[in-house]
Amino acid sequence: MKHSCSCKTKALAPATVLSNEKLGPRIFRITLQLKGLGAKAFAAFKPGQFAQFEVRDLALPAKYAIPADLKDKSRKNNILRRPFSFYNVEVVEDSVILRALYLVLGAGTLRLSTTTAGDEISLVGPLGNGFSVPKNKKLALILAGGMGAPPLQHLGTFLAEKHPEIRVAAFAGARSKADLPFNLVKTHAETELSFCLEEFARHNIESHVATDDGSVGYKGFVTDLLQHWLTKNSIDPAQTIIYTCGPDPMLASVARLAASLNVDCQVSTERVMGCGFGVCQSCAIECYKPGTQEKIYKLCCTDGPVFDSREVAWK
Amino acid sequence: MKHSCSCKTKALAPATVLSNEKLGPRIFRITLQLKGLGAKAFAAFKPGQFAQFEVRDLALPAKYAIPADLKDKSRKNNILRRPFSFYNVEVVEDSVILRALYLVLGAGTLRLSTTTAGDEISLVGPLGNGFSVPKNKKLALILAGGMGAPPLQHLGTFLAEKHPEIRVAAFAGARSKADLPFNLVKTHAETELSFCLEEFARHNIESHVATDDGSVGYKGFVTDLLQHWLTKNSIDPAQTIIYTCGPDPMLASVARLAASLNVDCQVSTERVMGCGFGVCQSCAIECYKPGTQEKIYKLCCTDGPVFDSREVAWK
Amino acid sequence: MKNSVDISVNFAGRQLQNPVLTASGTCGYVDELSDFMDVNCLGGFITKSITLKPRLGNPTPRIVETDSGMLNAIGLANIGLERFLSEKLPLIEKLSIPVYVNVAGQTLDEYLAVTEALCKCKALAGIELNISCPNVKAGGITFGKDPAQIESITAQVKKLCASKTLIVKLTPTVTEISDSARAAINGGADALSLVNTFTAMVIDIERRKPVLANRTGGLSGPAIKPMAVYLVNKVYNDVAKQAKIPILGLGGIQTGSDAIEFILAGATAVSIGTATFSEPNCCINVIEGIKNYCLRHKLSGVEQLIGSVE
Amino acid sequence: MKNSVDISVNFAGRQLQNPVLTASGTCGYVDELSDFMDVNCLGGFITKSITLKPRLGNPTPRIVETDSGMLNAIGLANIGLERFLSEKLPLIEKLSIPVYVNVAGQTLDEYLAVTEALCKCKALAGIELNISCPNVKAGGITFGKDPAQIESITAQVKKLCASKTLIVKLTPTVTEISDSARAAINGGADALSLVNTFTAMVIDIERRKPVLANRTGGLSGPAIKPMAVYLVNKVYNDVAKQAKIPILGLGGIQTGSDAIEFILAGATAVSIGTATFSEPNCCINVIEGIKNYCLRHKLSGVEQLIGSVE
Ligand SMILES: Cc1cc2nc3c(=O)[nH]c(=O)nc-3n(C[C@H](O)[C@H](O)[C@H](O)COP(=O)(O)OP(=O)(O)OC[C@H]3O[C@@H](n4cnc5c(N)ncnc54)[C@H](O)[C@@H]3O)c2cc1C
Ligand SMILES: Cc1cc2nc3c(=O)[nH]c(=O)nc-3n(C[C@H](O)[C@H](O)[C@H](O)COP(=O)(O)OP(=O)(O)OC[C@H]3O[C@@H](n4cnc5c(N)ncnc54)[C@H](O)[C@@H]3O)c2cc1C
Ligand SMILES: Cc1cc2nc3c(=O)[nH]c(=O)nc-3n(C[C@H](O)[C@H](O)[C@H](O)COP(=O)(O)O)c2cc1C
Ligand SMILES: Cc1cc2nc3c(=O)[nH]c(=O)nc-3n(C[C@H](O)[C@H](O)[C@H](O)COP(=O)(O)O)c2cc1C
Ligand code: FES
Ligand code: FES
């Protein structure tokens, strides 16, 4: 809850859309470019941080192109920004290139989905704390659930580049193959886990896939997949850390698993956000007062979105 | 005020943008295509009728591209449609092509200005009564003021094609050359009126230009230009009709001139419109009860937008 | 999945084929929207306000768009009782759906005179008493802000239309809407309609004058929906549920989802106002949307939804 | 054209360098927005509501977006008086602009205790009395709906802060806001702030539950602006002008034009709330917008505009 830093680390800046592609029925990938002050601020963007996108002035898709279940939702005139993570942030000369994946869920993301190269979107960021890498870790286990993937992909790249001393293994779960926001690559291993993720493989990070319906990879939850992996790999709890992002129930079960393994665990959470920078108090997240069982609220946007899994009072 | 016709003459239909070009600093030309039911209804579109455009779901221009004086206005989330006339309506096979000119004045027209080929815009129309051609007319004098031009251009084409018995002369006025929504063509006549309008010339309609600042054509009001023309051309009042569209003060002065000449005159009016089809009562226009000096309100959208100039109680 | 469902509702003793009606002042007298929809497909029709004498209404501008809403100060422009009876009633007689005439006035006597005349018309299902119009100098909302006056005018009107449904339309701009509702019910209202518009103002900063010739107007449209839903839910819980008096909910409804929101909050039926201006067939789309919701949720009808928000 | 203009205003005896302040609960305690703007450029700062003890606030979800607006039911989450004094006051002391602390409470005693403590702080210009929060079970709005209670609480608070500016923040959800205003003025208010949020509700139709954990919330943002402008104008004309009590106008302001609209309606200064969430430097843009308007209209300042709508 400390807000005493007076140096300007955040920017309100226009970004130019370089591309916005439809990857699946409701999944899009957007690439943005920042220059000037925006580039300056976002150059320091850390994995797990996020930005607030202005969507209010963007067009909706044509009526016939709006999925039936979103038609009524699409009638809302938005005023608030929408928070998104990035799976890749790259400094290219004097500009910063941001890459995000997003799921179309309502009016805001429908609006975002109509932008095309050359359009301008106003961003506020970088926001939030981001993941941190505690000293003396030798193994990082990354668990991504559904659209929790982007910040963890960013983290994977970051660890591969900046922390070669850390071995990384990634586990991605989704409802089914179509919901997996990664490129699947067939591996040579002839097991039920014979797919890995191109995004991690690229950095020589081993990766594994689980789907609820078994349409690809392990059939079951990503936590079960991790436990399966643990039967074959021995870890030193003190030198291991789990990073995870996904729906709350998954985070809670990863937190329980981490606690049972006595392994550090950082969870990246999501809450409905009015501002993203600590002034509206909308994104409260129930936590324990350090060292007690007393419940307090922290702010997902400024205290988080990344928390130590022991801090959060899971439902 | 009769609404007893139960045949469906109006449609609520999506139109496809074929093109949307910037002609001047704030003037755009948009071309739309209707198919199916929309085409069916608009095939009967008469000069002077209009359509209601849905603008709420369209994008605003990027912030830097919004003129300073419209920045604050652009923050409004629209819900109402916006009324526009067409300068050309063409049936092409099973589709109808509509061509409009519009001035960017606020949030709605800013939104319209961002549409590009392939976009969809919802239209309601044809609305209003349109101009009519009384029997036994031999001369039609068309007076266009500023953005009142489009319906009169449409009328000019209509008269040339459907009423060869009527001689037409067109007079267009604007604040200055840049505000004139027509293509100027140099004529051979070496007078101060040495420009005519390509849109009318194309149909062998003589045309004349006036600007308040004299930047092109006659320096002064378009009514003065007409009076100037009348000094050189003799007319038979009973066989003459004036058609006009433009700002209210201009319409009032044309109405006075017509009355003094004892010539029939149809004025196309504009009012802020909530619906466009007679249910909201927002577009009231003060008129005289036929044959009396008693004032009543008529509706611009259904009783008009075209009125006999004697009906309207000018301010 | 089944593809049809019965969404009829019992509204003050009358079965409506669906819970969607027009809102007064936004859909004309009867057939103005027939180019865009078949009026006989509606749950019911509520006419523009009728006064004893024709009213020209206020000078223009009479409306101004606001963020996700609009102000109107039409000033009850209408053709008056006499022309309504001679010109509109014959058209109403041809309709198969219940029609409620919205009644307004400047004095109690005017309300009573209009009610008396209308209640003689067999073709009418009832009247909607407008004691909540913010845009006229006398009458209208002045009756609707004080519970004692609400009760008294309702009782006197009800005496004259005992055989017809009396809907009382309340203004939302009071400290305690449940007091207004209770007063109307005590006076004999068969149903409540809420809400009318919220008084508001837009200033033209260049001319330094109010945009509307009437200075102020009533705010309607999506902007007011969350307030209207709250007020419907409050009146339902505080008063209407126990008194078994149905609520006609309105304020910013654009979609089937919006209508369901009002029904969950406690409305038995809903009215579509401002949305008709941009989408003249909105009522029909809302009816379809309600049906789809029921099918998707495997409901046998909408009545079980009324007031069922937890 | 000149390119600078003095837009300072006299607000309850204190000269503000410009008429733009933050709105309580939307801009933090003091420096949270300093990444986006220089707080010392504002006309003044109004803090988040402070209560005697820290408050966790309501369970989540606490906000939901609506058409051109949002509901909040934060429930006055705040760090409490003690931490405010120890952690925030030192930062406030470094500011060069007047800071007003918004005070809330569940009981009269709580209001008085917080006021008493704050009024000892030299660095504070005054307090804004929040008797209009719709999102807490006890206190808040319950004091603010009844003129007698408004007058009484204002008088008791004023006794404790005689040397400071007392702004009383009114709720718009009353039948007659001028009665509230009169009561506050009779109680000794030095300024009025209007409006707080409008009570409202959004229902999640899939879960058939209110979206907000608190069921209802307060509507803010552009959706409410025309109602807020009306209420400011009404209070100005009915009460404030004659009593020479300045109004702090707020509700949906996003632009310089919006601020001018409130000033023309009768506000001496304005606050920016919800707009800060999407545009964290909104206050600065509004200040620029006001300056540009004055330059364009060749005005020597803004004070001549106050209440000057025809
Ligand atoms: C820190 C952070 C990072 C995020 N990163 C990404 C990302 O990289 N990619 C991505 O696709 N999405 C991400 N999200 C979620 C994204 O912000 C929401 O999907 C988006 O705001 C929905 O906007 P909408 O207007 O389309 O839908 P709305 O109409 O606002 O909501 C549609 C549905 O989504 C739910 N929803 C809305 N906001 C959130 C939220 N913040 N968290 C969870 N559910 C929500 C609503 O309850 C509703 O059911 C992130 C959220 C946070 C807080
Ligand atoms: C029957 C009819 C036909 C029209 N045809 C055309 C046309 O062919 N081309 C064209 O450019 N415009 C035409 N207009 C005007 C056009 O509808 C408005 O310019 C448009 O609605 C402005 O929308 P906006 O949201 O951009 O501006 P707003 O923010 O709504 O308004 C901006 C400014 O324009 C003024 N204004 C708004 N609506 C009208 C109106 N209906 N009449 C006059 N002034 C208005 C406002 O008072 C304000 O000062 C027509 C209007 C009518 C009634
Ligand atoms: C242009 C207009 C005219 C209206 N006229 C009337 C009227 O004559 N009588 C009445 O009771 N309500 C009238 N209303 C109020 C509506 O019936 C309705 O209560 C209100 O607009 C809220 O619903 P909405 O948001 O769906 O429009 C009018 C509303 C508008 C916008
Ligand atoms: C998230 C949020 C929190 C608020 N908290 C407070 C508060 O603590 N005290 C208070 O007096 N008003 C509070 N308000 C009300 C605002 O100060 C303001 O009166 C209202 O939002 C209308 O202004 P706006 O439309 O500019 O936001 C809050 C508003 C919002 C949106
Ligand atoms: S989103 Fe506003 S405080 Fe976190
Ligand atoms: S615009 Fe609605 S009646 Fe004319």
Side-chain angles (χ1 to χ4, degrees), chain D residues 23 194-198 219-229 232 248-254 258 262 270-275:
Chain D
L194 39 127
V195 297
N196 210 319
T197 55
F198 291 76
L219 180 64
S220 65
I224 69 168
K225 195 188 72 177
M227 297 185 288
V229 168
V232 165
L248 177 61
L250 74 163
I253 298 176
Q254 302 184 87
D258 295 339
F262 275 86
V270 298
S271 277
I272 314 296
T274 303

Side-chain angles (χ1 to χ4, degrees), chain A residues 54 57 60 63-64 120, chain B residues 54 57 60 63-64 120:
Chain A
E54 189 171 61
D57 298 339
L60 280 176
K63 288 198 176 63
Y64 70 84
E120 201 185 276
Chain B
E54 189 171 60
D57 299 338
L60 281 176
K63 289 199 175 59
Y64 70 83
E120 201 183 277

